[in-house]
């Protein structure tokens, strides 16, 4: 499987310090992404800049300082932003797809799975997803809050190996380099401690919403789920390609756990809500061969549960074999249990893939 990289671009990077989107600078970014794309890397872009694009499009007209005004700017600016990305990527004959997310899309398991499936489908077709928070409709309650945080959640969704947070700072330092000329760059952060959070300080530029503090918070979410995170300057020459090649620039936050296990720790916060009983053949495939669970191996479904919930997988003697996230709800599983995967669509009228539970979304219970 080729490497998946999530690249988060802050407003200050996209405007290049001005009040408008800098197309020449954005083209430079696209050129670098195209290089990695041509090498077979799977790239996801989390792009800020909708509000800045909206202000520019409306010629910086005075608006009341309300949430509705910000949402208006986001609504106007998002289409402008995506048009710019589309025109620049088309130079390299690369197709893009837009995804707008809110916190509800991440926290609700059904939404999480749908978002992940869409993201995977885009990447499988070599289409670059351009993701932003859905600011036009997100209320305070449903806001993720900043695109640093969003990019960390997207890195988990995309099952990425790396997350690049590009900013107007060259790296993270042990104190604020704007105030202290002797501030030292932190090249590698092995673990994010309270001291690291303290060093990160407060917010950033007038144009953006997040400073180093939000980036370190995002790095903590991502690294806990097994995603290595790098903070670097969007102005560094060829920064994206350089980071992908392992250049000693910016600050590298090391992943805290094995990727799949880390993702499972994040996903398996919920208590099991039902049981799936499987036959001996499926038990061997699951426990000895680490394979996914197919509907054909299911003999019984106990309890009522939704797609995306955690269930127990038991053998015919009621022994716990595994915990897993189900791709179908209990009603659907009752209809397809014991049946071949090729029959799923005919029986249900739809399908979420050929497996009932995927091996990447299971923890095998070793006794």
């Amino acid at each position: 499987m080729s490497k998946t990289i999530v690249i988060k671009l802050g407003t200050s990077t996209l405007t290049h310090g001005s009040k408008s989107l800098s197309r020449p600078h954005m083209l430079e970014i696209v050129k670098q992404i195209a290089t990695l794309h041509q090498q077979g890397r799977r790239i996801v872009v989390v792009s800020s800049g909708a509000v800045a694009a909206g202000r520019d499009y409306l010629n910086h007209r005075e608006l009341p300082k309300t949430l509705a005004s910000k949402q208006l700017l986001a609504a106007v600016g998002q289409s402008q932003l995506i048009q710019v990305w589309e025109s620049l990527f088309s130079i390299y004959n690369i197709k893009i797809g837009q995804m707008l997310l809110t916190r509800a899309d991440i926290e609700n398991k059904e939404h999480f799975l749908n978002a992940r499936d869409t993201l995977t489908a885009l990447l499988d077709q070599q289409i670059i997803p351009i993701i932003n928070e859905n600011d036009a409709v997100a209320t305070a309650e449903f806001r993720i809050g900043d695109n640093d945080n969003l990019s960390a959640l997207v890195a988990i969704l995309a099952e990425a190996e790396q997350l690049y947070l590009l900013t107007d700072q060259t790296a993270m330092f042990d104190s604020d380099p704007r105030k202290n000329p002797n501030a030292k760059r932190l090249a590698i952060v092995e673990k994010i401690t309270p001291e690291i959070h303290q060093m990160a300080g407060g917010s950033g530029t007038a144009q953006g919403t997040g400073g180093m503090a939000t980036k370190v918070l995002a790095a903590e979410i991502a690294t806990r789920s097994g995603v290595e995170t790098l903070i670097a300057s969007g102005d560094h020459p060829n920064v994206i390609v350089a980071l992908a090649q392992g250049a000693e620039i910016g600050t590298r936050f090391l992943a805290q756990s094995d990727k799949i296990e880390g993702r499972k720790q994040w996903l398996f916060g919920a208590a099991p809500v039902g049981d799936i009983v499987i036959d001996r053949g499926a038990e061997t495939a699951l426990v000895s061969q680490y394979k996914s669970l197919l509907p054909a191996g299911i003999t019984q479904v106990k309890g009522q549960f939704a797609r995306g919930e955690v269930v127990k997988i038991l053998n015919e003697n009621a022994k716990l074999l595994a915990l897993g996230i189900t791709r179908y709800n209990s009603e659907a599983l009752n209809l397809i249990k014991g049946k071949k995967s090729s029959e799923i669509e005919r029986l249900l009228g739809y399908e979420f893939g050929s497996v009932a539970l995927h091996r990447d979304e299971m923890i095998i219970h070793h006794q």
Side-chain angles (χ1 to χ4, degrees), residues 22-278:
S22 167
R23 282 164 179 77
H25 192 56
M26 287 172 73
L27 179 58
E28 184 53 42
I29 289 165
V30 168
K31 183 177 158 189
Q32 295 176 57
I33 292 172
T35 301
L36 297 185
H37 183 76
Q38 280 148 14
Q39 290 170 2
R41 309 281 173 95
R42 292 156 71 91
I43 307 292
V44 181
V45 175
V46 175
S47 173
S48 302
V51 171
R55 280 202 187 97
D56 195 31
Y57 183 66
L58 297 177
N59 299 317
H60 299 272
R61 73 171 69 159
E62 281 294 312
L63 292 167
K65 293 197 181 338
T66 60
L67 176 64
S69 291
K70 193 176 178 204
Q71 290 178 320
L72 174 155
L73 289 169
V76 168
Q78 187 59 39
S79 59
Q80 297 301 308
L81 177 66
I82 211 75
Q83 273 180 40
V84 173
W85 282 126
E86 197 276 328
S87 65
L88 296 178
F89 273 107
S90 69
I91 294 168
Y92 294 93
N93 205 21
I94 294 172
K95 301 281 189 281
I96 64 165
Q98 175 179 249
M99 283 181 75
L100 296 174
L101 299 172
T102 64
R103 183 172 283 285
D105 297 316
I106 305 291
E107 289 187 346
N108 174 295
K109 282 203 183 73
E110 180 93 16
H111 290 193
F112 175 90
L113 288 174
N114 287 337
R116 191 197 58 190
D117 289 351
T118 304
L119 198 51
T120 303
L122 288 166
L123 292 170
D124 285 348
Q125 294 299 320
Q126 285 83 51
I127 296 166
I128 292 184
I130 309 278
I131 300 179
N132 200 350
E133 179 151 15
N134 198 349
D135 283 323
V137 298
T139 59
E141 183 188 355
F142 287 118
R143 275 184 61 71
I144 291 162
D146 62 79
N147 275 350
D148 293 320
N149 205 342
L150 174 64
S151 68
L153 298 173
V154 166
I156 294 167
L157 265 184
E159 301 173 5
E161 280 75 22
Q162 287 186 314
L163 166 64
Y164 301 166
L165 300 172
L166 298 188
T167 178
D168 52 2
Q169 302 287 304
T170 56
M172 185 183 165
F173 291 80
D174 60 1
S175 60
D176 190 339
R178 291 170 291 195
K179 294 175 187 163
N180 177 10
N182 299 318
K184 289 186 178 67
R185 172 175 80 97
L186 302 178
I188 292 177
V189 174
E190 289 187 16
K191 196 169 181 5
I192 296 170
T193 59
E195 291 76 38
I196 295 290
H197 281 295
Q198 209 170 352
M199 284 176 198
S203 66
T205 58
Q207 292 284 321
T209 52
M212 197 54 72
T214 66
K215 284 166 186 57
V216 171
L217 212 53
E220 186 169 31
I221 294 167
T223 54
R224 272 188 179 176
S225 295
V227 184
E228 184 178 75
T229 304
L230 297 102
I231 294 175
S233 167
D235 282 345
H236 188 282
N238 222 19
V239 61
I240 293 167
V241 174
L243 289 173
Q245 290 171 345
E248 292 291 317
I249 56 170
T251 300
R252 184 181 299 266
F253 296 83
L254 303 183
Q256 290 305 299
S257 57
D258 164 274
K259 187 179 82 159
I260 288 174
E261 289 311 312
R263 190 160 71 247
K264 285 174 181 175
Q265 286 160 16
W266 190 83
L267 287 170
F268 286 88
V273 291
D275 297 346
I276 292 174
V277 181
I278 63 173

Side-chain angles (χ1 to χ4, degrees), residues 349-361:
Y350 63 88
E351 65 142 302
F352 291 124
S354 60
V355 304
L357 286 90
H358 196 278
R359 67 174 181 274
D360 285 353
E361 295 163 357

